[in-house]
Amino acid sequence: YDRNTEPVGGAPVTLEAFPGVTFQAPGGSVYAAMTDPETGAVGASMLLSGMPVADAFFCDVTGDGYPEICVTSYFGSGIIDEHVQVYDYARGERWVLQDRMRYDYRFREENGVLWVERRNYSEEEVRDTLRILCRDGVLSLEDGTRFTKHPPQITAEVTGYHGEALLVRPVYGTPGLSPDTEYCVQMDEH
């Protein structure tokens, strides 16, 4: 395994689109940190992870006027999977494009345009270079290959129980959820 890739790191990033939020990528994961202007409380949420996250771009791929976080990430032990993830911070949605052991995917920026490179699994030669499209709220490549939408990861404290459900309160900085609201989360049997 030699992709000549180091985990994303570097300086924290702030964007005008998300006042009070600082994005950072220590240790190969991407986090968003916020400070509550009233209380000074600091909260951080892990948005994307990998083994490691190899690169990160901010690009409005959904067309909503807010930039999404777009990363190439690696997963696996022995069999290494290379895929791309998009995190829509404004909506708290995560999209993944992967086809384990068939194709590897990477983001590439060229002249201000974000492209997805598709390669046959574990090969370096680029098979296709494609644009990301968003139609009816669904991300896909221009050839019709769709991203899979995943539920958001939530950082919360358990405050109690309601029957078989947990009562939770999100920590400050959890995208799309208020820390002032208690949520009821149904427990899964598995």
Side-chain angles (χ1 to χ4, degrees):
Y1 172 65
D2 180 16
R3 307 275 188 182
N4 299 315
T5 302
E6 293 296 323
V8 172
V13 174
T14 57
L15 302 171
E16 286 184 24
F18 305 110
V21 180
T22 301
F23 298 96
Q24 210 167 344
S29 296
V30 178
Y31 291 85
M34 291 179 64
T35 302
D36 185 328
E38 294 176 18
T39 67
V42 177
S45 294
M46 183 176 68
L47 307 177
L48 298 165
S49 63
M51 299 172 76
V53 167
D55 56 31
F57 302 91
F58 290 92
C59 181
D60 182 5
V61 296
T62 62
D64 65 356
Y66 295 96
E68 283 72 44
I69 305 163
C70 304
V71 302
T72 302
S73 30
Y74 299 96
F75 278 97
S77 177
I79 297 174
I80 307 299
D81 174 62
E82 187 175 1
H83 60 270
V84 295
Q85 301 180 71
V86 173
Y87 191 86
D88 184 341
Y89 188 78
R91 290 190 173 91
E93 297 175 344
R94 181 172 68 102
W95 297 83
V96 178
L97 179 61
Q98 70 182 90
D99 197 346
R100 191 160 171 80
M101 296 186 71
R102 184 171 178 204
Y103 297 118
D104 283 332
Y105 295 94
R106 292 183 194 168
F107 279 119
R108 177 175 57 90
E109 184 272 333
E110 185 176 306
N111 299 322
V113 177
L114 192 62
W115 298 90
V116 174
E117 294 180 339
R118 178 171 36 210
R119 294 169 167 77
N120 289 329
Y121 172 71
S122 200
E123 294 181 10
E124 286 300 313
E125 184 178 333
V126 176
R127 176 188 170 111
D128 302 298
T129 301
L130 304 156
R131 291 182 316 149
I132 302 172
L133 304 176
C134 183
R135 290 190 185 122
D136 300 321
V138 176
L139 292 182
S140 66
L141 297 179
E142 60 187 317
D143 70 350
T145 304
R146 289 182 169 213
F147 284 67
T148 302
K149 185 176 178 181
H150 291 261
Q153 297 176 350
I154 299 170
T155 306
E157 66 175 302
V158 176
T159 58
Y161 296 91
H162 181 73
E164 296 293 315
L166 289 175
L167 298 175
V168 298
R169 185 176 311 277
V171 299
Y172 188 80
T174 302
L177 298 176
S178 169
D180 300 324
T181 304
E182 197 168 60
Y183 296 86
C184 188
V185 180
Q186 189 64 40
M187 299 286 286
D188 190 347
E189 293 179 24
H190 308 285

